[in-house]
Amino acid sequence: MRRVFLFLSLLSVCMAFSFVPLEEPITLGQFGFVDDVKTVKVKITPIGAQTPESQSYELTFDENGFITSQNMGEIAVEYRYDDQKRLMTKLFVDSSGHLLQRISIEYAGDSYTAIAYDGSNLEVGRTQYIFDIQNITLAFSNTSESSSSQNTLYFDSNYMNYRLVSYITERVEESDLYVNMVVEIELDYNEFGQFKGQKMIVRVRNEGQERSMEITTRADWLLTDEKGNITSEIQRTEYSDGSNPPEEFIYSREFTYY
């Protein structure tokens, strides 16, 4: 069970960073950044001995506010768009400049498909995203050797992702059992789209029994710059069932502008 909940905790962290699927065009507004941001250097420092080491990464945006690169040290991600500002290609490159993976996007009506290729240009997977304009939702499914999921993201009128619902089936290798999970994430922002917190409810169903856990994250802003962007904050995550101690992280950001 600990492995299952570790997976879900990582899912929570990823959602807190990106708010949108990795193959969806990302703008600075979806990160809660305002004004003419060019680059953002982010450092995440854990508080307490139970947490991992500090992490750093850098985001770069073009003059229209679309992300163009994400440098995470050992791996860099490049984003390429067409004339309509639709994301067409994502490239994952290591520190030596070698291509690790390429994701190409194909558009068709109210859906698009992300096709992943490895460094040798062999297809390794594809995901279809279906967008519902009326309800402003984005649905997609993922399947691997040990798990499958059906996911729906809900967006507000400003296209900020405020809710995610996932139905997940995962095989626990140690016992060769299949566990069914329901994950619901609610995200909260201020009027500028800056992250205030999130609540994640996880329901694990196995052999007629259900176990649930609520994971909450709260952001406390410490400093902002003259543009209104948050340069320092503390994020605190707590687990309702007491399985993990509270975790705290200091997020420090350094902005440059056009």
Side-chain angles (χ1 to χ4, degrees):
M1 267 309 179
R2 291 180 60 189
R3 188 178 71 86
V4 173
F5 279 104
L6 175 60
F7 162 77
L8 291 169
S9 297
L10 292 174
L11 172 65
S12 176
V13 172
C14 291
M15 289 302 298
F17 278 122
S18 61
F19 301 115
V20 292
L22 296 179
E23 280 68 65
E24 177 76 0
I26 301 176
T27 64
L28 60 89
Q30 290 169 305
F31 284 93
F33 302 152
V34 296
D35 212 271
D36 49 353
V37 172
K38 183 176 182 179
T39 64
V40 186
K41 293 181 180 179
V42 182
K43 182 177 182 181
I44 309 171
T45 305
I47 304 175
Q50 300 296 323
T51 53
E53 297 180 356
S54 298
Q55 305 173 44
S56 299
Y57 62 92
E58 182 173 355
L59 308 174
T60 303
F61 300 90
D62 63 19
E63 294 183 355
N64 296 310
F66 284 84
I67 192 169
T68 58
S69 67
Q70 185 172 181
N71 192 325
M72 298 171 285
E74 294 298 322
I75 298 177
V77 186
E78 299 177 13
Y79 301 76
R80 297 178 180 176
Y81 305 88
D82 64 9
D83 293 339
Q84 301 177 53
K85 278 301 177 183
R86 298 185 305 180
L87 180 63
M88 300 302 295
T89 308
K90 280 179 63 178
L91 302 175
F92 294 79
V93 182
D94 66 17
S95 57
S96 300
H98 294 114
L99 178 65
L100 302 176
Q101 188 178 71
R102 171 174 61 89
I103 296 179
S104 296
I105 316 296
E106 295 182 356
Y107 294 87
D110 60 353
S111 69
Y112 59 92
T113 302
I115 307 171
Y117 300 88
D118 64 15
S120 300
N121 204 36
L122 296 176
E123 182 178 332
V124 294
R126 59 176 59 203
T127 302
Q128 183 182 44
Y129 296 84
I130 301 174
F131 187 68
D132 185 331
I133 297 177
Q134 182 176 357
N135 296 309
I136 321 184
T137 61
L138 189 67
F140 63 99
S141 300
N142 284 326
T143 302
S144 68
E145 293 183 357
S146 61
S147 66
S148 63
S149 67
Q150 295 181 341
N151 314 275
T152 304
L153 291 97
Y154 298 81
F155 298 85
D156 62 19
S157 58
N158 295 317
Y159 292 93
M160 293 293 292
N161 172 218
Y162 69 88
R163 188 167 187 252
L164 165 68
V165 179
S166 294
Y167 298 92
I168 303 169
T169 299
E170 182 169 329
R171 181 171 64 87
V172 182
E173 296 180 1
E174 293 82 357
S175 57
D176 199 30
L177 294 175
Y178 285 87
V179 177
N180 294 308
M181 294 173 280
V182 180
V183 181
E184 298 179 72
I185 300 177
E186 304 280 350
L187 298 124
D188 189 23
Y189 314 92
N190 69 359
E191 60 182 314
F192 301 109
Q194 294 164 329
F195 178 68
K196 293 174 60 179
Q198 73 175 34
K199 178 174 70 174
M200 179 167 66
I201 298 176
V202 182
R203 297 182 177 88
V204 181
R205 298 165 180 169
N206 184 27
E207 297 181 342
Q209 297 182 339
E210 179 176 299
R211 178 188 177 188
S212 64
M213 178 172 61
E214 182 175 304
I215 305 169
T216 58
T217 299
R218 184 185 76 245
D220 294 323
W221 304 316
L222 303 178
L223 297 172
T224 59
D225 63 13
E226 68 280 359
K227 303 282 190 179
N229 283 305
I230 301 167
T231 57
S232 181
E233 70 177 347
I234 292 180
Q235 289 192 13
R236 178 182 176 88
T237 299
E238 296 181 329
Y239 302 81
S240 63
D241 69 347
S243 61
N244 299 78
E247 297 175 323
E248 291 182 314
F249 300 86
I250 296 178
Y251 283 70
S252 303
R253 303 179 184 90
E254 179 182 336
F255 291 84
T256 61
Y257 297 92
Y258 283 101

